[in-house]
Amino acid sequence: MTVKDLNTKTPPVFDIFISGAGIAGLTLALNLANIGLSVVIIDPVEDTSFPQTIGTRTCAIMTSLLPTLEATGVLPDIMDECSWLEKMHIVDMAGTKPPKDITFDAQELDTHAFALNIPNDVFRGALLKRALRHPNLTCFFGDMLADFKTTPALLDIQHDSGQISRARLLIGADGYNSRIRKVAQIEAKPFDYGQTAHTCRLKHTKPHHNISTETYYKDGPFTLVPLADNTCSLVWLERHENADKTMRLTREDFVTRLQTNSRNILGRIELIEGPTSVPLRGMVAEKLVAPRCALIAEAAHAYSPVGAQGLNTSLRDIEVLVSSIKNYAQTGLDIGSETLLKTYEDKRLSDIHRRFNIVNNFGQAVSTHSDLVKALRAGAMSALKDSRFLRKLAMQTGYTGAA
């Protein structure tokens, strides 16, 4: 249901108001609407048309978190563009000579794949399509949250357009510069990675065999992630000064760089979409809640793409929040209560901070120019390659969050 203006003197009361219609916001909205709650979602982007291209950015969603996506109903709509990640092959070209390498196989964790790689634009488009026709969802596009006031039982929410809504719980999924985080006066700790991420979509002559290949160069990782058929997405991190030079290359010279960096493991490479580039910036909120408000996803945390923790951490936020709201709603309790919000924060805040520190430390370790760190990195890779126990421990920590 799309509503541009509800011309009523008394604003209707909704169960949940979500600011931000990205992948995380829409996933949360559909999960909540599907359990019978009335949900509003608002986003400043007015265009609701389905994307005409697959795009250059993807998200590798861990298999343990797929039930949260399955609950939205969109997976059957997008599977043709996705690929399972069954193995991860890591090669360290910036460390000791000869280069160290290691392969992680999902079968060692008794699962068929680590993750499902999904194109972001296709994913959001499918979520948006379902949201627009869901009877429990009211969508305001081309509008945004301007301010809100908390009362004992409800929130009065003012839109930028002047529209007023009321809700029992307000959720910020409105990204790095979250308006909700600012109004709620929740402080956030920023982090500058000093790197730019190039992304593009490639076609290649050799099959990828559902193997994600991550090659460490002096500036950072060059990661080829499988997509449908003989295509893949590339995430390539470089220091800002070198990234600027790369983006000034001609298309032909850029493809030549890709061919060299790929070490020809996928045969001849063809550039389908991109490149696009974005400076990397991290952030972690000091709190996740305020009275009748909760933060999720990049309103609460932003990570480097190293380790693929970003959207996966967002889905963990959603998983916990939906479970808590569902339990309260089914028993007739207040879904915006301080107790519910404290439970959410207690379950998520320490994990978010822990992953933020791990991602930052790991990102620095694979992008360093220090000979000592390179030697330590080589030693760690050798130990993991030689020990099934250590390899399995590393995989459990990285992909399930539990050692």
Side-chain angles (χ1 to χ4, degrees):
M1 182 191 307
T2 304
V3 179
K4 288 189 178 294
D5 188 11
L6 298 176
N7 293 309
T8 56
K9 294 182 180 179
T10 303
V13 177
F14 298 94
D15 292 316
I16 311 283
F17 190 106
I18 300 171
S19 178
I23 290 174
L26 288 166
T27 298
L28 176 63
L30 286 167
N31 269 267
L32 294 171
N34 284 341
I35 60 175
L37 297 175
S38 58
V39 181
V40 170
I41 191 162
I42 191 169
D43 195 274
V45 177
E46 190 168 7
D47 184 10
T48 58
S49 60
F50 198 81
Q52 299 302 305
T53 62
I54 291 174
T56 67
R57 298 180 64 187
T58 65
C59 48
I61 305 302
M62 298 173 190
T63 51
S64 61
L65 295 169
L66 287 178
T68 300
L69 300 191
E70 290 168 350
T72 68
V74 305
L75 278 185
D77 303 334
I78 63 177
M79 285 300 294
D80 285 349
E81 304 296 347
C82 304
S83 178
W84 294 106
L85 307 187
E86 297 173 2
K87 295 181 181 180
M88 286 186 58
H89 185 57
I90 296 175
V91 183
D92 189 355
M93 298 296 291
T96 58
K97 304 300 180 184
K100 300 289 185 182
D101 75 295
I102 185 171
T103 298
F104 296 99
D105 190 333
Q107 290 189 358
E108 291 192 80
L109 292 180
D110 299 319
T111 183
H112 76 286
F114 291 119
L116 182 69
N117 195 34
I118 308 173
N120 286 16
D121 289 353
V122 172
F123 191 7
R124 184 182 181 274
L127 292 167
L128 184 57
K129 187 176 180 179
R130 286 196 175 245
L132 288 169
R133 63 175 187 244
H134 200 295
N136 294 338
L137 259 169
T138 300
C139 304
F140 293 90
F141 291 101
D143 201 356
M144 60 189 295
L145 179 146
D147 203 354
F148 60 89
K149 180 181 179 182
T150 306
T151 67
L154 295 169
L155 296 120
D156 292 320
I157 302 163
Q158 182 178 343
H159 302 206
D160 197 51
S161 63
Q163 171 76 41
I164 300 293
S165 295
R166 307 188 83 189
R168 294 178 176 86
L169 177 62
L170 173 62
I171 300 172
D174 48 347
Y176 190 92
N177 296 311
S178 171
R179 175 67 179 166
I180 291 178
R181 194 179 69 238
K182 182 177 180 180
V183 174
Q185 297 183 327
I186 296 175
E187 296 295 325
K189 174 186 175 183
F191 187 87
D192 182 5
Y193 291 103
Q195 293 174 308
T196 294
H198 306 301
T199 60
C200 54
R201 191 164 63 93
L202 308 172
K203 187 175 181 180
H204 38 86
T205 56
K206 292 183 180 179
H208 51 57
H209 298 297
N210 293 342
I211 300 172
S212 175
T213 302
E214 186 167 301
T215 306
Y216 299 155
Y217 290 105
K218 64 177 183 178
D219 273 8
F222 179 96
T223 308
L224 297 161
V225 192
L227 283 171
D229 303 320
N230 274 17
T231 66
C232 69
S233 59
L234 168 69
V235 182
W236 176 15
L237 306 190
E238 288 192 295
R239 298 182 192 280
H240 293 319
E241 58 272 21
N242 292 331
D244 291 341
K245 295 175 185 176
T246 296
M247 289 303 293
R248 288 196 294 268
L249 293 174
T250 65
R251 185 181 181 87
E252 182 180 357
D253 288 343
F254 182 77
V255 172
T256 299
R257 282 285 303 279
L258 298 186
Q259 193 73 58
T260 301
N261 283 7
S262 73
R263 298 173 291 111
N264 299 316
I265 59 170
L266 295 176
R268 185 174 58 80
I269 282 176
E270 176 186 341
L271 184 62
I272 305 175
E273 285 189 73
T276 59
S277 69
V278 60
L280 295 183
R281 53 186 184 175
M283 177 275 295
V284 64
E286 293 184 358
K287 296 178 7 179
L288 298 181
V289 301
R292 294 200 173 273
C293 300
L295 302 178
I296 69 163
E298 289 199 2
H301 47 80
Y303 300 158
S304 163
V306 173
Q309 292 296 319
L311 187 55
N312 286 291
T313 304
S314 301
L315 291 175
R316 291 185 178 94
D317 300 342
I318 293 168
E319 189 176 61
V320 170
L321 196 53
V322 169
S323 176
S324 298
I325 291 171
K326 182 178 180 180
N327 290 338
Y328 271 59
Q330 288 178 341
T331 54
L333 297 174
D334 181 6
I335 61 173
S337 71
E338 182 181 351
T339 305
L340 183 150
L341 293 171
K342 185 177 186 306
T343 298
Y344 167 65
E345 185 172 68
D346 287 348
K347 288 183 176 180
R348 292 300 307 133
L349 189 60
S350 61
D351 179 65
I352 287 168
H353 281 255
R354 180 175 66 88
R355 290 178 189 277
F356 183 73
N357 290 329
I358 290 172
V359 168
N360 289 355
N361 291 335
F362 183 67
Q364 289 175 336
V366 300
S367 304
T368 184
H369 289 186
S370 164
D371 289 337
L372 174 60
V373 176
K374 290 178 183 179
L376 291 172
R377 194 168 71 205
M381 290 181 70
S382 294
L384 288 169
K385 191 170 185 176
D386 293 340
S387 170
R388 186 177 187 275
F389 171 78
L390 291 177
R391 201 164 54 247
K392 188 172 181 178
L393 186 66
M395 289 188 286
Q396 286 174 329
T397 302
Y399 281 85
T400 68

